[in-house]
Amino acid sequence: MSESRPACTSAGGGIAARILARLAGCRSSTFIARFAANPAGKLALLLLALTLLAAFAGPFLAPQDPYDPAALDILDARLPPGSAAAAGGTYLLGSDEQGRDLLSAMVYGLRLSLLVAGAGTGLACLLGAALGLTAGYFGGRWERLVLALADLQLSFPALLIALALLALSGPGLAKVALALAASQWAYFARSARAAALVESGKDYMAAARLQGLSHARLLWRHLLPNCLPPLLVILPLQLAAAISLEATLSFLGLGAPATEPSLGRLIANGFAYLLSGQYWISLYPGLLLTLAVTAITLAADRLAAVLDPRRQEG
């Protein structure tokens, strides 16, 4: 019944690639080719691939498990890049104040940051999309209530909301993810509502209503698929914002525990040593955090161009 884009047959790629390709009205291979059709797209793919490789394959290749206290030696604390470890091997990027291999700690911390931020952003997307779609579809008092709550949430900085929630509930990775979701859902709700208002007035929705379909079927089988493109565009942008917010919370001591540091905690660990010349403890985790946020932001910008039918530059 949907008439927004032609159906297509996937030609490889994962589930996410096939979903995006279908929304773009093309094959998976064609979608990737369009995504990487200009230098910005190629750079986005390269940085995103490096970030994901470091996060999810890096821990299997890391020379040390930084979460294992038995693998740490306090005598190796704050060694500069290229130093030899007491137990053998080389600290390519140096070590931190607890004697952890900084390279190993960074790839483990990147994975933790992505998982926590991804969980929070995913929960925010589910909650915001559900509220926004139903608000745009049903209208009336429900729509006014959702908009009022969204406006209230957006009137406060995301960091302030997260800090207030964590101050009430205490630190913890699951609580950080919930705090991220609570500070982000309004962006998805407003985007979903705007898309639902546009799509609800189209002919395919009128035809579906004439068939006597239930509200649930109209919402999730007809309205939702055609409201996905704007949600998928802001999803990576909010993920990048969530990574930065999680790093800020961890830097302040409200995120990951000291025994399992994320990138924000690693930056905080080396902050006190910056003026003493031991720059690497904070510098390299900060550079990796910048790389991850930049990669996701560039990918979001290119995704918006590919999914927008009015932009044909490739």
Side-chain angles (χ1 to χ4, degrees), residues 91 139 241 287:
Y91 292 126
L287 291 176

Side-chain angles (χ1 to χ4, degrees), residues 35-36 38-49 294-295 298-299:
F35 190 96
N38 63 11
K42 292 182 176 66
L43 179 61
L45 278 180
L46 176 62
L47 292 179
L48 192 60
T294 301
L298 287 176

Side-chain angles (χ1 to χ4, degrees), residues 44-157:
L45 278 180
L46 176 62
L47 292 179
L48 192 60
L50 290 176
T51 300
L52 295 178
L53 182 65
F56 297 103
F60 299 101
L61 305 175
Q64 182 192 78
D65 182 359
Y67 298 164
D68 182 9
L72 306 183
D73 190 342
I74 194 63
L75 297 178
D76 288 340
R78 302 192 299 277
L79 294 179
S83 299
T90 303
Y91 292 126
L92 295 178
L93 298 182
S95 62
D96 65 5
E97 83 289 352
Q98 296 187 29
R100 281 187 291 241
D101 174 57
L102 192 57
L103 176 60
S104 302
M106 284 168 54
V107 295
Y108 274 84
L110 176 61
R111 181 174 65 173
L112 184 63
S113 294
L114 287 178
L115 289 176
V116 174
T121 305
L123 182 59
C125 182
L126 292 176
L127 176 62
L131 292 176
L133 283 176
T134 53
Y137 178 80
F138 291 109
R141 293 181 178 177
W142 175 244
E143 181 182 23
R144 291 193 293 273
L145 176 61
V146 171
L147 288 179
L149 291 175
D151 289 340
L152 178 63
Q153 190 266 309
L154 293 173
S155 66
F156 294 95

Side-chain angles (χ1 to χ4, degrees), residues 26-311:
C26 60
R27 297 175 183 271
S28 296
S29 57
T30 305
F31 173 81
I32 296 175
R34 289 174 57 188
F35 190 96
N38 63 11
K42 292 182 176 66
L43 179 61
L45 278 180
L46 176 62
L47 292 179
L48 192 60
L50 290 176
T51 300
L52 295 178
L53 182 65
F56 297 103
F60 299 101
L61 305 175
Q64 182 192 78
D65 182 359
Y67 298 164
D68 182 9
L72 306 183
D73 190 342
I74 194 63
L75 297 178
D76 288 340
R78 302 192 299 277
L79 294 179
S83 299
T90 303
Y91 292 126
L92 295 178
L93 298 182
S95 62
D96 65 5
E97 83 289 352
Q98 296 187 29
R100 281 187 291 241
D101 174 57
L102 192 57
L103 176 60
S104 302
M106 284 168 54
V107 295
Y108 274 84
L110 176 61
R111 181 174 65 173
L112 184 63
S113 294
L114 287 178
L115 289 176
V116 174
T121 305
L123 182 59
C125 182
L126 292 176
L127 176 62
L131 292 176
L133 283 176
T134 53
Y137 178 80
F138 291 109
R141 293 181 178 177
W142 175 244
E143 181 182 23
R144 291 193 293 273
L145 176 61
V146 171
L147 288 179
L149 291 175
D151 289 340
L152 178 63
Q153 190 266 309
L154 293 173
S155 66
F156 294 95
L159 178 59
L160 181 60
I161 295 175
L163 285 175
L165 292 176
L166 290 175
L168 293 174
S169 63
L173 294 180
K175 296 173 183 177
V176 171
L178 291 175
L180 294 176
S183 63
Q184 288 185 313
W185 70 268
Y187 298 98
F188 295 99
R190 279 198 159 275
S191 297
R193 171 189 170 270
L197 288 176
V198 173
E199 296 295 329
S200 294
K202 292 187 175 180
D203 292 340
Y204 74 90
M205 287 295 293
R209 291 189 186 94
L210 289 176
Q211 294 180 16
L213 301 180
S214 64
H215 291 307
R217 188 175 180 86
L218 287 171
L219 274 169
W220 310 122
R221 293 292 300 274
H222 296 273
L223 190 58
L224 175 61
N226 293 284
C227 294
L228 279 179
L231 294 176
L232 291 176
V233 168
I234 67 170
L235 181 62
L237 289 174
Q238 290 304 121
L239 175 60
I243 293 173
S244 300
L245 181 55
E246 187 279 330
T248 303
L249 294 172
S250 294
F251 184 89
L252 297 174
L254 296 174
T259 55
E260 298 182 5
S262 67
L263 293 179
R265 173 72 73 166
L266 290 174
I267 296 172
N269 290 342
F271 187 73
Y273 304 102
L274 283 175
L275 297 180
S276 63
Q278 297 167 340
Y279 62 89
W280 59 89
I281 305 177
S282 284
L283 176 62
Y284 294 133
L287 291 176
L288 184 57
L289 176 63
T290 302
L291 171 66
V293 172
T294 301
I296 297 172
T297 303
L298 287 176
D301 180 72
R302 189 61 193 148
L303 180 63
V306 174
L307 291 181
D308 189 347
R310 296 168 296 181
R311 296 172 63 175

